[in-house]
Amino acid sequence: MPISRYWMAGTGLALAMVTPLAAEDGGQVIVVTGEGLGETPAAPAYDTRTIDRETLLSVPSGRIEDALSSIAGFQQFRRSDSRSANASAQGATLRALGGNATSRALVLLDGVPMSDPFFGYIPFSALAPERLGQIRVTRGGGSGPFGAGALAGTIELESAGIDVLEGVAGHVLANDRGETEVSTTAAARLGSGFLVASGRWDRGQGFFSTPGADRVPFSARAAFDGWSAQIRGVAPLADDIELQFRGLAYRDERTLRFEGADSTIEGQDASLRLVGRGAWQFDAIAYIQARNFTNRIISSTRFVPVLDQRNTPATGLGGKLELRPPVGDAHVLRLGVDYRRSDGELYENAISAFTGAVRARRNAGGTNTDLGLFVENDWTIGSLVLTAGARLDRWTIRDGFFDERDGDGFSLVSRAYSDRAGWDASFRGGAFLRASDAIALRAAAYSGLRLPTLNELYRPFVVFPIVTEANAALENERLEGVEAGVDLTPADGVAIALTAFDNRVKNAIANVTIGTNLRQRRNIDAIHARGIELSASATFGRFDAIASAAWTDAESQGSGFAAALDGNRPSQTPRFVGETTLSYRPAENWVFSMSLRHVGAQSEDDLETDILPAATTLDAFARVPISDGISLVFRGENLTGETIVTRNQGGSIDLGVPRTVWGGVRFGF
């Protein structure tokens, strides 16, 4: 059944269900929230931070990944945002456990995993901040009830409800390069439910990511053109049961470095969610995702196509059922099962730089599945909350293959990889003690699991002059971690959180140098990260201050083939990251804010030979009402014009966003 038919069927069901529902006691209208089940009492035992809606709406770049950067320890594989990065490199991780382009953090939108089924990247450009009510980030914490993949933590995106979206709203912005950002949302109550439709379109010529001294006539700006559209409906089925539907479609086109070096991502997602808030609480989710990726590689010496990754169709299919039975006021028991199936294929042509003829045609892919069973209990004893949980995963890696034919269709390589399967157990537990009104203590220990992605298993790639080979024999990554922290509220409007952690990823997958300009994805012994995270906020009258910082001592542990990287910091992991935002609100709906962010030096490769220098950037945001429901908006990115090196491979360098100033109008809400 094509994804479009799933989409239409789901939309029709959601619209049919959004109808008035009266209570038996005289026609009282039931109001639904559109949210999942609430947090459990022990959630504060894990290092969780929240980004509220107002913060999301005042991000100077307007990008969701930059909003997440306000959480100490969050990082993408590279420093580029979703306008100038190749999408396949946009993995999300936490706590300096990065090192490759696959996400080690689990990103959920209304309970649905958002990682690409083939690559594991996050389609950040499709996730508009203005659609969200909040983001909850749990650093560490293991897999628990979230699902396999929450190795470094969990990032939960929650859609905004009708209480803040009702009506029509949007914004139109342009910057000093003539690029535009247009967004609109329309939301209405329909009987006892509601319906929200939204769209966003970002386009522009981009900036030169190649340094001026290295540009050639074929150098191109990092042009981008992307849109996304979402429809979401919520309806009551009973006074304590509601049905939620979400459909998301998007497409993003980007150019990187040279003319013709174009890439695209596109996707269509549909999900249904049934939430029960009665004595037997439950949260049931089912989803389907269709994704695709294309990418064309241009020779950096002859400036003609040498590789055409013309098609990478992938499908994600899965769901989750969580049940919270009534077990007394002192306990919250969670029982559940979740499932995810990822399958996809790569189709690419290798092209001769001299003749333009196809040298080889490659086709590779496979199927990964994970079925998880979990149980967790929170026990409240006065001001102390204890929690413990276990998870059992049945995983499979199967149907893997790699085929290569020459330009005339004759077979050069044909490999079918053996199927694999197994069981893995994960555990987590913690304690949270409210010692006083001003002091809370927390501690936790946990383990987690991540399967290698289809991309890591079967897809080789080239970023000239480096060739990186796939590895169909990769083993699962395993996390073991402990942490302890204190939350302080020394005065009204002042909050401080300090966390110390020790996390170790066994069998960590890394791009390991095995020859001159040759790397392969390998399991190294471990990545060990120890560090301190600080978050602080304060409100003094009309002034707000928010700060976060993370200092991490991370090292790769390798032996045998990986002995050369033993003791090195993992690639793309800075030692220190910090950000401070100061805001002033002179009157209702007025906002002036400035953000200072520092990212320490990091290396491009496992051998620490290609360094990305530290970078400090200054951003700004202003919202000035000019009439009821209409405001002027001004945004500034990298106002000091800092040189941000995002890639350095043997002196081949890419740069991040230069000084950029935006202005426009916001209406509604």
Side-chain angles (χ1 to χ4, degrees):
M1 186 176 185
I3 187 69
S4 60
R5 293 178 61 188
Y6 279 108
W7 181 295
M8 295 174 63
T11 304
L13 176 59
L15 291 174
M17 296 307 301
V18 181
T19 56
L21 182 66
E24 295 179 359
D25 59 356
Q28 179 182 356
V29 175
I30 297 170
V31 178
V32 298
T33 66
E35 301 173 355
L37 295 179
E39 288 189 327
T40 63
Y46 302 100
D47 189 9
T48 301
R49 300 290 157 234
T50 300
I51 306 174
D52 61 27
R53 179 169 173 79
E54 181 60 31
T55 302
L56 292 171
L57 293 178
S58 56
V59 176
S61 67
R63 319 300 292 188
I64 196 73
E65 59 270 30
D66 290 329
L68 288 167
S69 295
S70 66
I71 300 295
F74 170 82
Q75 69 178 99
Q76 299 183 87
F77 177 55
R78 290 201 170 96
R79 297 170 176 176
S80 306
D81 66 25
S82 56
R83 293 166 295 190
S84 59
N86 187 288
S88 65
Q90 289 196 268
T93 193
L94 297 158
R95 291 192 164 165
L97 295 174
N100 63 31
T102 298
S103 295
R104 285 196 169 108
L106 177 63
V107 180
L108 303 172
L109 174 58
D110 297 328
V112 176
M114 290 306 295
S115 59
D116 183 84
F118 189 93
F119 292 92
Y121 68 78
I122 309 300
F124 285 116
S125 60
L127 305 176
E130 58 271 17
R131 296 174 186 154
L132 302 177
Q134 69 171 13
I135 301 176
R136 188 165 55 249
V137 180
T138 302
R139 295 172 288 201
S143 294
F146 299 115
L151 202 72
T154 305
I155 300 171
E156 300 173 83
L157 314 179
E158 297 182 359
S159 294
I162 191 64
D163 54 331
V164 297
L165 295 181
E166 188 170 10
V168 178
H171 64 255
V172 179
L173 297 168
N175 69 18
D176 53 344
R177 291 190 296 273
E179 298 157 5
T180 59
E181 178 184 309
V182 180
S183 176
T184 185
T185 299
R189 299 181 188 272
L190 298 178
S192 300
F194 64 86
L195 190 67
V196 180
S198 60
R200 177 162 167 167
W201 180 31
D202 301 277
R203 55 149 299 279
Q205 64 176 340
F207 55 89
F208 281 106
S209 61
T210 305
D214 297 334
R215 291 177 201 159
V216 297
F218 294 95
S219 294
R221 291 175 176 267
F224 60 97
D225 191 342
W227 62 265
S228 67
Q230 179 172 287
I231 184 169
R232 186 166 181 261
V234 179
L237 301 184
D239 58 359
D240 56 6
I241 301 176
E242 66 181 61
L243 176 68
Q244 305 170 14
F245 165 80
R246 182 175 54 80
L248 171 67
Y250 60 87
R251 180 177 172 85
D252 195 341
E253 303 173 3
R254 306 178 200 177
T255 298
L256 187 61
R257 301 187 192 100
F258 301 115
E259 293 178 5
D262 303 325
S263 66
T264 69
I265 63 171
E266 61 179 334
Q268 304 90 38
D269 296 5
S271 63
L272 286 174
R273 187 178 197 177
L274 196 63
V275 180
R277 308 181 195 278
W280 286 77
Q281 297 183 33
F282 60 86
D283 189 349
I285 300 173
Y287 63 87
I288 185 170
Q289 300 163 324
R291 306 285 179 84
N292 203 355
F293 170 82
T294 69
N295 188 40
R296 178 168 289 193
I297 306 297
I298 301 297
S299 166
S300 60
T301 55
R302 299 184 63 84
F303 309 106
V304 295
V306 292
L307 185 67
D308 183 11
Q309 297 168 338
R310 56 188 177 84
N311 206 16
T312 318
T315 302
L317 180 70
K320 171 185 174 181
L321 173 62
E322 178 179 333
L323 182 66
R324 300 183 185 178
V327 289
D329 294 339
H331 292 268
V332 176
L333 178 63
R334 307 173 72 178
L335 306 170
V337 58
D338 60 68
Y339 175 76
R340 180 167 174 82
R341 181 180 187 271
S342 302
D343 66 75
E345 292 188 53
L346 164 72
Y347 298 88
E348 69 177 23
N349 295 337
I351 302 170
S352 170
F354 298 95
T355 67
V358 174
R359 296 188 297 105
R361 306 179 190 274
R362 304 182 186 117
N363 179 207
T367 301
N368 287 359
T369 68
D370 182 86
L371 174 67
L373 306 171
F374 63 85
V375 57
E376 187 165 88
N377 183 60
D378 295 356
W379 184 16
T380 302
I381 312 169
S383 58
L384 173 66
V385 181
L386 301 175
T387 182
R391 179 181 175 88
L392 185 63
D393 286 274
R394 171 64 176 180
W395 55 267
T396 69
I397 298 175
R398 53 189 175 83
D399 301 333
F401 71 95
F402 179 88
D403 291 331
E404 183 172 358
R405 298 176 179 273
D406 65 17
D408 295 323
F410 293 101
S411 179
L412 300 175
V413 179
S414 182
R415 300 190 184 115
Y417 302 107
S418 300
D419 293 347
R420 293 181 281 153
W423 292 92
D424 272 298
S426 305
F427 305 92
R428 72 175 195 164
F432 177 78
L433 174 65
R434 175 62 66 181
S436 69
D437 291 340
I439 302 176
L441 305 174
R442 49 186 164 79
Y446 39 79
S447 58
L449 167 74
R450 184 183 77 87
L451 273 68
T453 62
L454 301 176
N455 174 53
E456 292 168 318
L457 291 165
Y458 309 121
R459 172 187 172 255
F461 70 94
V462 178
V463 179
F464 188 84
I466 307 296
V467 176
T468 302
E469 297 179 340
N471 184 353
L474 290 172
E475 299 178 13
N476 298 339
E477 293 182 336
R478 293 281 303 170
L479 171 78
E480 295 177 353
V482 296
E483 65 184 57
V486 57
D487 298 329
L488 305 175
T489 51
D492 289 342
V494 179
I496 302 170
L498 183 67
T499 303
F501 66 89
D502 188 320
N503 286 183
R504 188 169 186 261
V505 179
K506 297 181 178 179
N507 293 327
I509 298 172
N511 297 334
V512 178
T513 299
I514 59 175
T516 303
N517 292 332
L518 180 62
R519 298 174 187 163
Q520 186 182 43
R521 298 184 180 97
R522 295 276 184 94
N523 291 106
I524 63 174
D525 294 346
I527 291 176
H528 191 192
R530 294 160 290 192
I532 298 174
E533 297 161 339
L534 172 68
S535 301
S537 63
T539 299
F540 302 101
R542 299 186 181 277
F543 291 89
D544 295 322
I546 301 174
S548 67
W551 179 89
T552 310
D553 178 20
E555 67 173 10
S556 300
Q557 297 176 344
S559 58
F561 66 86
L565 55 78
D566 187 57
N568 291 352
R569 287 187 65 79
S571 61
Q572 305 292 342
T573 55
R575 188 176 301 275
F576 177 81
V577 176
E579 180 171 319
T580 299
T581 299
L582 300 177
S583 303
Y584 173 56
R585 305 174 191 275
E588 186 177 2
N589 294 324
W590 288 67
V591 180
F592 298 95
S593 69
M594 300 194 75
S595 300
L596 185 69
R597 177 173 173 78
H598 177 80
V599 179
Q602 58 198 75
S603 62
E604 176 76 27
D605 63 326
D606 58 311
L607 300 181
E608 297 186 310
T609 56
D610 297 323
I611 302 301
L612 311 179
T616 302
T617 55
L618 179 66
D619 299 333
F621 176 86
R623 183 175 67 225
V624 179
I626 58 175
S627 67
D628 186 23
I630 300 179
S631 301
L632 296 178
V633 173
F634 302 96
R635 304 190 320 213
E637 302 178 65
N638 191 12
L639 292 176
T640 59
E642 176 84 331
T643 299
I644 306 170
V645 179
T646 62
R647 185 187 68 92
N648 176 11
Q649 291 189 334
S652 175
I653 290 174
D654 283 345
L655 302 178
V657 63
R659 181 187 297 109
T660 305
V661 178
W662 294 82
V665 177
R666 179 178 294 174
F667 60 91
F669 294 161

